[in-house]
Amino acid sequence: QIGSLALVQETQELTEHGLPPVHVVDMREELKAGNPSIMSTALHDAIADVLHKKQQAILYLNRRGSATYVFCRECGYVLECPNCEKPLIAHHDSDELQCHTCTYTRKIPAKCPQCGSNRIRQYGTGTEKVERFVHELFPQARILRYDHETTRKKGAHEIMLSHFANHRADILIGTQMLSKGLDLPLVTLVGVILADVGLNLPDFRTNERVFQLLTQVSGRAGRSPLGGRVVLQTFNPGHYVIQHAAQHDYDGFYDQELKYRERMAYPPYTRLVRLETRDMNNILAEQRAHALAEDLKVWLAEGKFTATRIIGPSPCFFHKINNYYRWQVILNGPAPAKVIKGKALEGWMVEIDPPSLL
């Protein structure tokens, strides 16, 4: 079922207090106007106005770290975790790169490991980078960064939110932890640094998750008699998730998402079974996945499951985690669990109606 009770309750609460207006900023136009920075003119002016009125602002970004990844501008090589094959993240307070999936760390190299060039650069935007950038623009502002890195210690969440609630800081910068459970009457501005994050992941629930996050974080600016506003920055302003989130149009998103799900034969119109295998040898994992797919074809035919289809086999989006390669096969149909009932599936993890396909 699309949506959640929490989001419905959130929407009802906001309706009672008045929904904050949302200004969608097309960051492509900012680039054309000569502004290549991570902050649009509209968001800059809105923050300046909030500080002038001695109110508070929240800046939201669904990433942490100071750079999304580190790469070589000469050959394009991206520094990845050898255990997970995901880009390593740079953090401003050290000269190390970290994997946010496992515990792997390494020093930032002076030269490219592939071509030997010294043109190693950091690319992307993380919470640390936003914090430094905002501090440069507004040196008088008191800034707190609220993400996984700053809230590791016991009690750090409560201490940080207490500081912000008592106006010992003007701007709170953070990740999706900011989207829920905050009722801060002096917050009259929410700025979403990049609303596009997560929209292109290969999971049919991606649009729902992004809409929910944008709706919830926008609600942080609509809980005060002072009023509030949201500045939502995006490179894809025409996307229906962005459009409906900007209009606080829960019903409109629900209707359009249902049409998409029906057209693509995804839940709630069908059900899913996800089968995942892992191996430290990628070739063996792939062979096992293809062998299962062939067995599934036979079982479908024998059981006359004509309305059930096989998706895959394919590598998982997060293909390698902690030195294990991951492959998956998905069954999509009215009752896909019946296809594998009583079958020997040694070496496979089985999820009925999985929450994620990543």
Side-chain angles (χ1 to χ4, degrees):
Q1 184 176 350
I2 298 179
S4 67
L5 179 60
L7 183 55
V8 173
Q9 291 173 337
E10 179 88 7
T11 305
Q12 290 172 342
E13 290 174 9
L14 286 175
T15 301
E16 294 172 2
H17 290 82
L19 296 168
V22 179
H23 178 195
V24 177
V25 178
D26 187 343
M27 296 302 284
R28 298 170 301 180
E29 296 301 320
E30 290 289 312
L31 288 173
K32 291 177 183 178
N35 178 17
S37 78
I38 61 175
M39 184 177 294
S40 63
T41 302
L43 182 54
H44 176 278
D45 293 346
I47 293 173
D49 183 58
V50 164
L51 294 175
H52 175 72
K53 293 177 179 177
K54 300 191 183 305
Q55 296 169 357
Q56 291 176 300
I58 287 176
L59 300 182
Y60 168 78
L61 180 69
N62 193 17
R63 287 176 181 160
R64 67 179 190 268
S66 60
T68 306
Y69 60 88
V70 177
F71 76 115
C72 174
R73 295 185 67 180
E74 194 70 35
C75 69
Y77 177 79
V78 175
L79 279 81
E80 295 182 336
C81 172
N83 303 326
C84 306
E85 295 185 347
K86 292 173 65 178
L88 293 169
I89 308 300
H91 287 263
H92 180 60
D93 55 1
S94 74
D95 60 352
E96 288 188 338
L97 299 172
Q98 300 176 8
C99 175
H100 284 178
T101 300
C102 71
T103 58
Y104 178 82
T105 62
R106 63 155 294 169
K107 299 287 185 181
I108 298 177
K111 294 185 178 181
C112 173
Q114 180 165 281
C115 73
S117 168
N118 60 2
R119 301 185 69 190
I120 298 291
R121 297 291 184 271
Q122 299 179 15
Y123 182 81
T125 302
T127 47
E128 291 179 27
K129 184 174 180 179
V130 173
E131 181 185 25
R132 295 198 312 274
F133 184 76
V134 173
H135 182 71
E136 291 171 1
L137 289 178
F138 305 101
Q140 78 281 13
R142 298 167 298 171
I143 302 171
L144 285 176
R145 178 162 55 89
Y146 185 69
D147 59 17
H148 178 73
E149 308 299 329
T150 61
T151 56
R152 286 179 176 178
K153 294 182 180 179
K154 185 177 180 181
H157 288 273
E158 293 77 12
I159 292 172
M160 189 168 293
L161 290 178
S162 174
H163 279 306
F164 195 63
N166 289 289
H167 205 180
R168 290 197 280 270
D170 306 302
I171 301 173
L172 186 63
I173 299 170
T175 55
Q176 66 187 60
M177 292 190 296
L178 293 176
S179 65
K180 299 177 182 178
L182 302 180
D183 192 358
L184 303 163
L186 281 178
V187 173
T188 57
L189 171 67
V190 168
V192 180
I193 300 298
L194 188 60
D196 308 351
V197 174
L199 274 180
N200 297 309
L201 292 175
D203 186 345
F204 74 94
R205 289 190 175 92
T206 288
N207 292 337
E208 178 186 353
R209 293 192 185 104
V210 173
F211 176 82
Q212 184 171 9
L213 281 170
L214 293 178
T215 300
Q216 289 176 332
V217 78
S218 295
R220 306 283 73 79
R223 297 173 170 268
S224 167
L226 296 172
R229 52 182 161 164
V230 179
V231 177
L232 193 157
Q233 299 183 160
T234 174
F235 284 93
N236 191 6
H239 197 289
Y240 73 91
V241 170
I242 305 295
Q243 290 290 315
H244 289 302
Q247 298 167 22
H248 307 288
D249 184 8
Y250 180 82
D251 291 334
F253 170 77
Y254 185 93
D255 291 340
Q256 190 161 353
E257 183 69 6
L258 276 180
K259 292 176 183 176
Y260 162 73
R261 300 275 186 94
E262 184 176 23
R263 186 172 69 251
M264 301 301 294
Y266 279 127
Y269 298 97
T270 59
R271 300 190 68 182
L272 300 178
V273 169
R274 178 175 174 270
L275 301 108
E276 179 191 324
T277 188
R278 300 184 179 192
D279 202 292
M280 297 182 77
N281 185 316
N282 186 42
I283 294 176
L284 292 179
E286 182 178 4
Q287 290 174 345
R288 194 181 301 133
H290 281 279
L292 177 64
E294 292 303 313
D295 288 340
L296 288 171
K297 291 177 184 178
V298 174
W299 298 341
L300 287 175
E302 290 175 346
K304 297 182 180 179
F305 296 103
T306 56
T308 301
R309 59 178 175 141
I310 301 172
I311 303 174
S314 62
C316 298
F317 179 76
F318 300 114
H319 183 39
K320 188 180 181 185
I321 294 180
N322 285 326
N323 284 316
Y324 282 88
Y325 293 93
R326 305 165 64 231
W327 281 75
Q328 67 182 9
V329 182
I330 296 167
L331 288 174
N332 181 324
K338 292 182 179 179
V339 179
I340 58 173
K341 185 177 181 179
K343 306 296 183 183
L345 294 168
E346 185 177 351
W348 286 89
M349 292 177 282
V350 181
E351 285 184 287
I352 309 297
D353 297 322
S356 172
L357 301 181
L358 301 178

